[in-house]
Amino acid sequence: MDIYDDRHRAFLQAFMARSTMTFEESQPVLAAIISAHESRDIAPEDVTQSTLNDFVDTVNGAISTFDLEIRTSRRQDPKDSADDSTTPPILIYALVNTTSDALTQLATTYSADEIAFVKRVLDYMFEENNTRRSEGMIISSMQAMRLSKAGSDRRRSTNVATQQTESGNAQNLTMQQAQEVMKSLTQEGWLEQSRKGNYSLSPRALMELRTWLVSEYNYEDMNGQMQNRIKFCAACKDIITVGQRCDDRNCPGRLHDHCVRNFFRMQQAETCPVCQKGWSGNNYVGERAVVEAARPRHSRLSQAQTVVASPTPTSEAGDPKLSDEEEG
Ligand SMILES: [Zn+2]
Ligand SMILES: [Zn+2]
């Protein structure tokens, strides 16, 4: 590994100026840095993946004492990634705080009441809209506006650990304030908005908040049962908020869309990596789960019918959340 020097410092600076970087985006940055350092012209296309890997390794060695790390992840959403579905989505690099707590991170730019609102939004995404029946993990603009009221959250009473950190005296935000917070979280790269208008956590937010999300939403309930609301892809082991789930609702088997293909190519049959039952590929995690859950039962029995007569239950005005009780 290289000794950390001015080249790596410059690279780290470049990283701090943006929330994420791809290999292609790193090429002109590294070309400029190496050119300046070696007093000779290096073209962006001459910067290889292994050059980037070396820089990342050296920088990570230097910044780990400050709880910082450059992490990598792939986009989970196939629509927004490579056109060719046979190639995996582009690798995204992000400089993240490894001890990151979403709420502490926001403390410098947001008020306590705004942070309490963000917590209600996250609770909604990862608890209320992330049930055994439907793992949506998204929130509509309309639902976010509903959460502007401080008392509007239906707190779980099961996670003892978080009850203590709950800010009980948060004030209401106006709808406009709530809207502004959602907008700036999106601009800052924490949230992404889908074509249907639903918000989800960005790849960068997932890289940064992975540890915090697990400690916050995977917990032992009052009956001593583990509630693992945050799940991981059985193939790549990364967090999953968009992808496919096992046909058996009780099974924790999950796979990213882009991991499914490679994974089953290596298997004899398309079976769940956890329980070995058949994998239909018709059960989803993410926005599609909400659409699927909103679809009437009988139409789900016929695939052809489902595809042709696909309604759009999550219109802009719609609420993408379905509770367990609204079955059928
Ligand atoms: Zn995966
Ligand atoms: Zn399974």
Side-chain angles (χ1 to χ4, degrees):
M1 194 193 291
D2 289 344
I3 306 286
Y4 184 81
D5 62 23
D6 283 347
R7 290 172 299 165
H8 305 99
R9 256 173 229 116
F11 181 60
L12 182 57
Q13 293 289 334
F15 239 114
M16 289 165 83
R18 56 189 90 201
S19 69
T20 61
M21 220 190 280
T22 62
F23 168 59
E24 282 74 19
E25 287 165 348
S26 81
Q27 284 179 304
V29 173
L30 288 175
I33 292 170
I34 298 167
S35 298
H37 186 78
E38 299 181 4
S39 305
R40 63 189 180 99
D41 272 348
I42 303 285
E45 55 270 24
D46 292 336
V47 174
T48 62
Q49 178 71 53
S50 92
T51 308
L52 172 61
N53 293 349
D54 289 348
F55 267 81
V56 167
D57 285 349
T58 304
V59 168
N60 276 344
I63 64 179
S64 63
T65 33
F66 306 107
D67 297 326
L68 292 169
E69 186 185 355
I70 295 172
R71 284 187 181 167
T72 57
S73 185
R74 292 184 196 280
R75 287 203 63 88
Q76 303 176 88
D77 191 341
K79 289 191 301 294
D80 298 322
S81 59
D83 306 332
D84 178 6
S85 62
T86 56
T87 55
I90 292 163
L91 208 55
I92 299 169
Y93 294 76
L95 177 67
V96 304
N97 185 328
T98 52
T99 58
S100 192
D101 166 336
L103 310 183
T104 307
Q105 281 236 12
L106 299 174
T108 52
T109 37
Y110 294 89
S111 72
D113 294 337
E114 288 171 332
I115 292 170
F117 162 70
V118 175
K119 182 61 169 46
R120 293 196 292 278
V121 167
L122 290 170
D123 284 350
Y124 181 87
M125 288 166 70
F126 292 103
E127 294 201 318
E128 282 196 65
N129 199 15
N130 181 21
T131 62
R132 192 171 154 272
R133 169 158 157 67
S134 169
E135 294 177 7
M137 292 183 263
I138 53 171
I139 187 167
S140 68
S141 319
M142 178 173 270
Q143 184 58 40
M145 294 310 103
R146 284 191 201 127
L147 296 177
S148 60
K149 287 206 181 67
S152 59
D153 54 333
R154 195 184 65 192
R155 282 300 308 163
R156 60 163 182 254
S157 54
T158 40
N159 188 353
V160 182
T162 29
Q163 276 174 349
Q164 293 154 356
T165 59
E166 209 46 39
S167 53
N169 45 9
Q171 300 296 306
N172 293 345
L173 298 187
T174 64
M175 296 260 216
Q176 198 184 343
Q177 284 172 321
Q179 210 157 16
E180 283 302 315
V181 172
M182 295 303 280
K183 205 173 126 190
S184 58
L185 288 172
T186 308
Q187 282 164 353
E188 289 163 15
W190 290 97
L191 294 178
E192 287 184 341
Q193 206 171 7
S194 73
R195 290 194 199 90
K196 290 192 171 76
N198 295 311
Y199 291 96
S200 60
L201 286 190
S202 69
R204 178 227 164 176
L206 290 171
M207 276 188 255
E208 188 133 9
L209 301 179
R210 194 187 299 156
T211 314
W212 181 79
L213 287 168
V214 169
S215 70
E216 189 68 20
Y217 297 110
N218 291 3
Y219 55 89
E220 200 175 314
D221 68 15
M222 289 191 299
N223 304 321
Q225 296 277 321
M226 272 312 286
Q227 295 292 329
N228 291 328
R229 303 297 183 110
I230 307 297
K231 296 186 176 69
F232 293 86
C233 171
C236 72
K237 315 295 179 200
D238 209 349
I239 197 165
I240 183 164
T241 59
V242 181
Q244 301 177 15
R245 62 184 288 185
C246 180
D247 295 7
D248 180 350
R249 280 188 189 161
N250 294 316
C251 173
R254 303 287 180 275
L255 288 168
H256 289 122
D257 291 305
H258 61 82
C259 291
V260 164
R261 189 184 307 264
N262 279 335
F263 188 79
F264 288 141
R265 192 180 293 150
M266 291 183 289
Q267 308 288 311
Q268 297 293 337
E270 299 201 349
T271 58
C272 172
V274 177
C275 72
Q276 316 302 327
K277 285 178 199 146
W279 188 277
S280 70
N282 295 326
N283 297 286
Y284 302 115
V285 176
E287 193 173 52
R288 284 175 301 171
V290 175
V291 175
E292 195 67 17
R295 195 166 282 161
R297 269 267 142 146
H298 53 86
S299 74
R300 255 185 281 164
L301 294 175
S302 156
Q303 274 304 305
Q305 199 184 342
T306 310
V307 173
V308 174
S310 168
T312 47
T314 47
S315 61
E316 281 143 278
D319 178 353
K321 182 250 167 190
L322 280 173
S323 74
D324 280 348
E325 300 82 56
E326 288 165 13
E327 189 118 14

